[in-house]
Structure formats: C-alpha cells, structure tokens
Amino acid sequence: MENTKIISIITEKGGTGKTTTTFNLGCSLGKLGKRVLLIDLDKQGNLTSYCSESAVRKTIADLIYSSASGDTSIDYAEYIKKSEKNPNVDYISAGRMLGSANSVIASSANCNYILKLMLRDKALTNTYDYILIDNRPDLDLLAQNALNASDFVIIPIDAGIFAFDAIDLITEKVNAIRATTNPRLKILGILENRSTTSKEIDIACRKIYGDTVFDTVIPARPEQVNKTVKSYAGCVNLTGNTLAEKYTEFAEEVMERVNR
C-alpha cells in the first residue's frame, strides 16, 4: 500500500499509557478494516506481551542488527507474527538486545535511517495501511531513528502536573528533526489518558495546545485495560469492554487527521 502511514507513539515520561495506546489503537484500526503492523521498540517488551503469550525467536533487535550490517536479503516474514485475537493486526516483537541497539545503529553509515530503510521496504508498504511504533521513554538514537521513519507522532499524556513538560520535550525533538532529517514529520495529536482528578489539566492542555489535543479522551479504567493484557485482545475485540467505544472513536479521529 503506497500510502502506508507510519506513526510513532512516544513520550519521555513513563506511566502515560503509551503501550496501551499503541495496542488498542492498532486493534481498533484493524477492527475498522485497516491492515496494521505494530512494532515494539521497548526492550521491556510490554507491547509484545499484549499481542501474544508465545515466545518469539526473531525480534526487531535482530532485524535492526541485520539491517545495520548491510544485509540486503532480509525476509520480513520471519520476523512478523499475527496477533491472533485481533483481526488485521500483525506485530514485530521486542528483544533484550534492544538495550545495545544504539551502539549498533551508531556504527552504521546510515545511523539516522536504519529504521526508515527497513520500514519503507515494499514488503511492508505493500502490505499495511498503518505501522505503529511503540517507543521507549528515551529520546536516544533509536527514538531518533523511529522519528526519522515516521510520518506522524502521537503524544500520550497522563493527568499529572508534569504532563506539559513531556509535551514540550517531544515537541522540541519533533521540530528539530523536521528541520533537519525528516521534513514530513508532524505531530498528529496529544492524547489525554485521564484520571479522576484531571479536569483542570484538560482545560489547561486545550488552552495551551488547542486543536493539537485529540477530541477523544481515554478515561481511567484500569480493570478494563487489565482484561486486554490477560486475554491478548484489544478492548474493541472483547465483549463488554467499556473502553471499546472510546478507542474506536480515537481510531476514527486518527484516520480523519491522517487524511486531512
């Protein structure tokens, strides 16, 4: 699919629902008929755990190492797995070797574009409508690679008083990359994962960042999120999950903004 859109879900602040957002957005897009590839770039592997209980031998770390070494015969089918309980959703799992990925990438002549060269391969762009990258909370060389490969950025935030600091850090990074190595990169939006005390944060966030903030707000329902972890299925694919409607609204809003 020539119009494959690559979206990085990224923030430098932990505990904002980054992985939950990536997984449920992907599952919701899949439910709406889009072909989706999820990529777990966090060595903790939480997104991988959402997708399947089975261990995966070949990971994104192996793929990065092969690409950095100049291997031109990569068979992506060896790395891509189906998220069996989520229609139209595939994934590439994390690996422990992601911890040393920065040094491996730095040794390559294409150190800023390893992920871009991989993800723009026709084997992927001819298959998927959306590629979603779950980044770890570090603005390091691996994150820079993800941003160079991406068309858009989604910034999830929680209701804490330091939420704006995280937004500003990512915004500065995106602006720097757009001015240098990836002029097409844009912030698609800021997603609020709201707790019961965040009304003031919501008002302030919309006042400061305006239309950049998604209309959709994800309410705090940890028991519903926990069900997705235990079942390996997104909220939209679970009967009676009260977050299904919200994530569907979010996916529809993402598609509308991407096509705007």
Side-chain angles (χ1 to χ4, degrees):
M1 299 176 184
E2 294 182 0
N3 293 321
T4 300
K5 300 303 181 186
I6 302 177
I7 304 175
S8 275
I9 293 81
I10 189 169
T11 177
E12 200 175 36
K13 188 175 183 294
T16 61
K18 175 177 57 62
T19 299
T20 302
T21 297
T22 306
F23 180 64
N24 281 290
L25 173 58
C27 293
S28 299
L29 289 169
K31 187 83 169 182
L32 292 169
K34 303 300 181 182
R35 292 281 291 129
V36 181
L37 176 64
L38 305 178
I39 297 179
D40 192 349
L41 271 191
D42 191 333
K43 65 180 180 181
Q44 294 183 33
N46 292 336
L47 179 62
T48 302
S49 298
Y50 270 103
C51 293
S52 175
E53 61 182 327
S54 304
V56 179
R57 294 183 62 186
K58 292 198 173 185
T59 70
I60 189 64
D62 300 313
L63 196 49
I64 289 171
Y65 282 40
S66 295
S67 183
S69 68
D71 187 353
T72 58
S73 60
I74 295 173
D75 182 2
Y76 287 92
E78 296 181 359
Y79 301 87
I80 296 172
K81 303 297 178 185
K82 290 188 178 299
S83 185
E84 295 179 0
K85 296 186 179 181
N86 301 291
N88 298 319
V89 178
D90 296 340
Y91 70 99
I92 302 178
S93 68
R96 292 183 179 180
M97 293 302 289
L98 275 173
S100 55
N102 282 310
S103 59
V104 173
I105 291 172
S107 66
S108 170
N110 295 311
C111 62
N112 286 314
Y113 304 106
I114 293 296
L115 281 175
K116 179 179 179 179
L117 293 172
M118 287 165 37
L119 300 185
R120 295 295 173 181
D121 191 284
K122 288 184 178 180
L124 299 181
T125 58
N126 287 343
T127 304
Y128 298 103
D129 297 293
Y130 290 89
I131 297 175
L132 306 182
I133 306 174
D134 182 27
N135 291 271
R136 59 190 182 190
D138 295 301
L139 297 181
D140 54 11
L141 185 56
L142 186 58
Q144 184 166 315
N145 261 258
L147 294 175
N148 279 330
S150 298
D151 301 294
F152 301 103
V153 167
I154 291 174
I155 308 171
I157 65 167
D158 62 5
I161 193 170
F162 299 112
F164 299 154
D165 293 339
I167 296 173
D168 292 340
L169 283 170
I170 296 299
T171 300
E172 290 174 7
K173 186 67 173 178
V174 168
N175 288 340
I177 287 179
R178 186 166 57 218
T180 53
T181 52
N182 184 6
R184 74 177 183 279
L185 184 64
K186 298 177 181 178
I187 295 177
L188 192 64
I190 299 165
L191 176 68
E192 292 184 52
N193 287 297
R194 181 186 292 176
S195 73
T196 56
T197 59
S198 67
K199 188 61 178 178
E200 294 81 3
I201 297 294
D202 175 52
I203 293 171
C205 191
R206 294 183 188 280
K207 183 176 181 180
I208 296 170
Y209 300 103
D211 292 341
T212 305
V213 184
F214 285 104
D215 293 333
T216 307
V217 175
I218 306 299
R221 295 174 186 168
E223 71 285 354
Q224 299 297 328
V225 172
N226 290 339
K227 288 181 181 179
T228 69
V229 178
K230 295 176 181 178
S231 63
Y232 310 104
C235 293
V236 295
N237 295 317
L238 288 174
T239 302
N241 192 293
T242 58
L243 285 175
E245 183 178 351
K246 283 295 181 182
Y247 278 115
T248 299
E249 290 177 7
F250 177 46
E252 290 172 341
E253 192 173 359
V254 165
M255 290 191 297
E256 189 276 329
R257 290 193 179 206
V258 163
N259 295 324
R260 186 177 296 173

